[in-house]
Amino acid sequence: MPRSQPFQRPFAIANLLAAGDAEVLALLAPLGDAAREGAPNQSHLLETFPAVADAAVLMEMGFGADVGWLARRAAAAMRIGVALGSNGSPVLAAMDTIGVALARGDLAEAHRVLQGLDGALPPALVSWRAMLERRVAANVAAQRLAALARDRAEALTPLRNAQR
């Protein structure tokens, strides 16, 4: 799951192996979209974020999706201004907060901030949000599956646990 590529075959095999285990199947279920479409890793999300952040800023400024380089430079400059402490709009502030969260690897925080944005979002940000949601779901599922595996392994070896 740390890779970005789709993993339909391993996902299908995991579901087959867990066929009689409702708890494992429930933990696997949120991985369906990531298995089918892939779940971009943190570095990909971080690399692609500036363009979608600029698109969000441009939309708030009243520009359409297809703007020239000057408007894109203006949006980038505005985002830099917010990072330096100038007053900005809620979208600018959100884009800055998301960028900081991504840089420190806090994808869940970036997702939380993105969910808090009201109103229409540019298509680029909508599709980027879907990628982020697949990665967050994959990370959460991996953590929960690992915890379940650890708990079950510890339950099978009570003698070893007592010696710790």
Side-chain angles (χ1 to χ4, degrees), residues 3 14 20 23 26 38 58 67 75 77 82 105 126 134-135 142 146-148 158-159:
R3 296 181 10 221
E23 189 174 13
L58 287 168
V67 297
V82 168
V126 171
R134 289 193 309 269
R135 172 47 55 198
L148 178 62
L159 183 59

Side-chain angles (χ1 to χ4, degrees), residues 6 21 27-28 44 113:
D21 192 331
L27 293 175
L28 288 172
H44 179 76
V113 172

Side-chain angles (χ1 to χ4, degrees), residues 14-142:
N15 276 290
L16 285 172
L17 292 173
D21 192 331
E23 189 174 13
V24 173
L25 287 173
L27 293 175
L28 288 172
L31 292 173
D33 289 341
R36 203 172 27 264
E37 300 175 40
N41 59 25
Q42 177 187 342
S43 63
H44 179 76
L45 290 166
L46 191 56
E47 289 169 12
T48 56
F49 181 70
V52 296
D54 289 348
V57 170
L58 287 168
M59 184 173 183
E60 187 176 51
M61 292 168 57
F63 288 97
D66 193 17
V67 297
W69 67 271
L70 187 58
R72 284 193 298 275
R73 293 285 182 207
M78 289 177 71
R79 287 194 312 107
I80 291 169
V82 168
L84 297 174
S86 68
N87 288 334
S89 69
V91 171
L92 276 168
M95 294 302 108
D96 182 54
T97 303
I98 292 168
V100 169
L102 287 172
R104 70 173 187 262
D106 192 349
L107 302 182
E109 173 66 8
H111 184 249
R112 186 192 65 72
V113 172
L114 191 52
Q115 285 179 314
L117 287 178
D118 294 329
L121 298 175
L125 190 55
V126 171
S127 75
W128 188 87
R129 178 178 58 188
M131 292 189 310
L132 175 64
E133 288 171 350
R134 289 193 309 269
R135 172 47 55 198
V136 168
N139 289 351
V140 169

Side-chain angles (χ1 to χ4, degrees), residues 21-24 147-157:
D21 192 331
E23 189 174 13
V24 173
L148 178 62
R150 186 179 51 252
D151 292 347
R152 288 184 177 182
E154 288 175 358
L156 292 174
T157 57

